[in-house]
Amino acid sequence: LAIGNILPSNAQTQSSTSPVVVETTPKGNSKMIGIVTDSSAATGVEFASIALFSVANNSPVDGTIADKTGEFQLDKIAPGTYKLLISFK
């Protein structure tokens, strides 16, 4: 993610300093759907953190939080090779 002010070429700088967030990660048409489960309790893990990283440069691509049943979905994933990091407490 890049954070900064983006102005059209004919715009004048304003006194406001609120940042504009621009995603620079390429997006595709693929999606990843899964369920995080606790093997000892055989239940879904609510609020597990899911992070998707590019293997090519180890940079974060996307992420989400599992719902109350442990289900998660990542959308608009570009073709590539990734590693998925799932963490919870």
Side-chain angles (χ1 to χ4, degrees):
L1 294 178
I3 299 176
N5 291 323
I6 298 176
L7 300 171
S9 59
N10 61 351
Q12 295 180 356
T13 303
Q14 300 175 359
S15 61
S16 171
T17 59
S18 59
V20 175
V21 177
V22 178
E23 289 191 43
T24 58
T25 305
K27 297 294 181 180
N29 295 326
S30 299
K31 70 170 96 173
M32 183 179 297
I33 300 170
I35 301 173
V36 180
T37 57
D38 180 340
S39 60
S40 63
T43 59
V45 178
E46 184 177 14
F47 300 121
S49 297
I50 294 90
L52 186 67
F53 290 88
S54 169
V55 169
N57 57 13
N58 205 34
S59 64
V61 175
D62 202 356
T64 191
I65 302 291
D67 68 11
K68 65 182 178 180
T69 62
E71 295 181 24
F72 69 91
Q73 181 171 326
L74 299 171
D75 294 315
K76 298 181 182 174
I77 301 171
T81 304
Y82 301 97
K83 68 178 176 179
L84 192 64
L85 175 64
I86 301 173
S87 58
F88 57 94
K89 291 185 178 189

